[in-house]
């Protein structure tokens, strides 16, 4: 077994015997290993120290592994996460991968396999993946620049996409035309704030109108706001 120097792992496992077994085996491989036995402890340790990878048990009391992984990613922690799941828990595996776990291993597993998977993940290193933005049934994935209302994919121009992304990052807040202009258009843009009104109109035609809802609303004299929940659209003559 190769000796790995200077690589620090966090093992998150509430079953003490399992945690001790993993720690001992990984230390024999040459890793430095810390153990956390609850979700909150894992989040605290990962925030306080720097880990090259996290071995994350799915079934944890209180905060489960999926939630721990989600919160790590939301906090901008991108170290590889290897999720340990129970046999046949396909939904859990999918949920884990959805929230940014890199790989999973089904219990019971051989230590040799764990060791091999871990080496592969550590060799690859951290992969920064912005998490999806979601407000009601509007969803946007900045990494692949795709957006959806429910299951319908939205066909957006580059500017419309950036505009929607900005609204999704500030749900429920009133965004002024000036602020939108500065964020979505660059500072050198001199076309005036009418362009914002124009693009909000375009965006509504794509994200609201076809679905019979109104979520992107005008706040008179202030700007625009993406509501937390859409209203049913009232047809106007
Ligand atoms: Ca467990």
């Amino acid at each position: 077994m190769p000796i790995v120097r200077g690589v620090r792992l966090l093992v998150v496992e509430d079953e003490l015997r399992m945690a001790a077994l993993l720690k001992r085996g990984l230390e024999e491989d040459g890793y430095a290993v810390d153990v956390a036995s609850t979700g909150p402890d894992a989040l605290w340790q990962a925030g306080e120290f720097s880990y090259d990878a996290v071995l994350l048990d799915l079934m944890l009391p209180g905060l489960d592994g999926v939630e721990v992984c989600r919160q790590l990613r939301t906090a901008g922690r991108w170290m590889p996460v290897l999720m340990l799941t129970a046999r046949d828990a396909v939904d859990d595996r999918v949920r884990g991968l959805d929230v940014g776990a890199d790989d999973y291993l089904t219990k019971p597993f051989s230590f040799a396999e764990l060791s091999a998977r871990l080496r592969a993940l550590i060799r690859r290193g951290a992969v920064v993946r912005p998490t999806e933005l979601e407000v009601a049934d509007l969803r946007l994935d900045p990494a692949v620049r795709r957006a959806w209302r429910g299951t319908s994919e939205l066909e957006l121009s580059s500017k419309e996409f950036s505009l929607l992304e900005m609204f999704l990052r500030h749900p429920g807040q009133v965004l002024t035309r000036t602020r939108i202009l500065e964020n979505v258009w660059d500072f050198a843009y001199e076309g005036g704030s009418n362009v914002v009104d124009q693009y909000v109109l375009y965006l509504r035609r794509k994200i609201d109108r076809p679905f019979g809802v109104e979520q992107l609303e005008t706040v008179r004299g202030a700007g625009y706001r993406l509501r937390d929940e859409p209203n049913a659209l009232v047809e106007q003559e």
Side-chain angles (χ1 to χ4, degrees):
M1 207 44 75
I3 296 297
V4 196
R5 291 192 194 284
V7 178
R8 195 180 184 89
L9 305 178
L10 179 63
V11 171
V12 188
E13 169 65 87
D14 59 313
E15 288 150 66
L16 296 180
R17 281 185 58 195
M18 182 68 166
L21 214 66
L22 288 172
K23 182 175 163 69
R24 193 182 329 129
L26 292 166
E27 282 177 348
E28 279 169 14
D29 272 3
Y31 296 104
V33 183
D34 291 341
V35 174
S37 55
T38 70
D41 281 358
L43 288 174
W44 181 81
Q45 280 173 255
E48 230 26 48
F49 309 104
S50 175
Y51 293 103
D52 298 285
V54 176
L55 228 66
L56 181 59
D57 183 38
L58 184 91
M59 299 291 285
L60 296 166
L63 209 57
D64 75 3
V66 168
E67 197 47 40
V68 169
C69 188
R70 187 201 309 278
Q71 291 192 27
L72 283 176
R73 296 326 191 196
T74 304
R77 305 246 154 216
W78 298 103
M79 73 289 262
V81 171
L82 176 57
M83 194 91 94
L84 307 178
T85 71
R87 192 173 20 187
D88 301 331
V90 178
D91 284 355
D92 291 338
R93 291 200 286 271
V94 171
R95 282 202 305 141
L97 296 176
D98 276 351
V99 297
D102 297 275
D103 197 4
Y104 59 85
L105 207 53
T106 306
K107 288 179 176 179
F109 49 82
S110 75
F111 189 80
E113 183 170 13
L114 171 78
S115 182
R117 298 273 195 99
L118 205 50
R119 275 201 305 278
L121 284 180
I122 290 166
R123 203 178 306 126
R124 203 192 63 193
V127 179
V128 177
R129 260 182 316 189
T131 40
E132 287 192 350
L133 304 168
E134 203 172 343
V135 176
D137 65 345
L138 271 179
R139 195 159 55 88
L140 180 148
D141 186 340
V144 294
R145 291 190 72 81
R146 294 172 67 187
W148 299 264
R149 162 83 75 191
T151 53
S152 306
E153 181 155 10
L154 304 167
E155 300 269 340
L156 304 175
S157 72
S158 167
K159 277 279 175 284
E160 290 162 356
F161 186 90
S162 303
L163 190 59
L164 179 60
E165 181 174 351
M166 186 182 181
F167 279 115
L168 286 170
R169 287 189 189 281
H170 305 92
Q173 293 177 31
V174 178
L175 303 181
T176 64
R177 287 174 180 77
T178 310
R179 187 164 168 207
I180 295 171
L181 203 56
E182 285 172 359
N183 271 268
V184 178
W185 281 266
D186 58 44
F187 288 95
Y189 184 81
E190 288 177 354
S193 62
N194 284 347
V195 71
V196 174
D197 302 329
Q198 193 66 55
Y199 271 86
V200 165
L201 205 68
Y202 293 156
L203 195 54
R204 278 190 182 133
R205 284 184 193 150
K206 293 186 175 176
I207 69 167
D208 281 353
R209 278 263 204 76
F211 303 93
V213 297
E214 185 189 45
Q215 190 169 3
L216 187 49
E217 65 180 6
T218 306
V219 181
R220 197 176 296 210
Y224 296 100
R225 171 169 54 204
L226 185 72
R227 301 168 50 89
D228 292 322
E229 290 294 336
N231 274 341
L233 183 65
V234 181
E235 284 298 335
Q236 292 172 349
E237 281 305 308

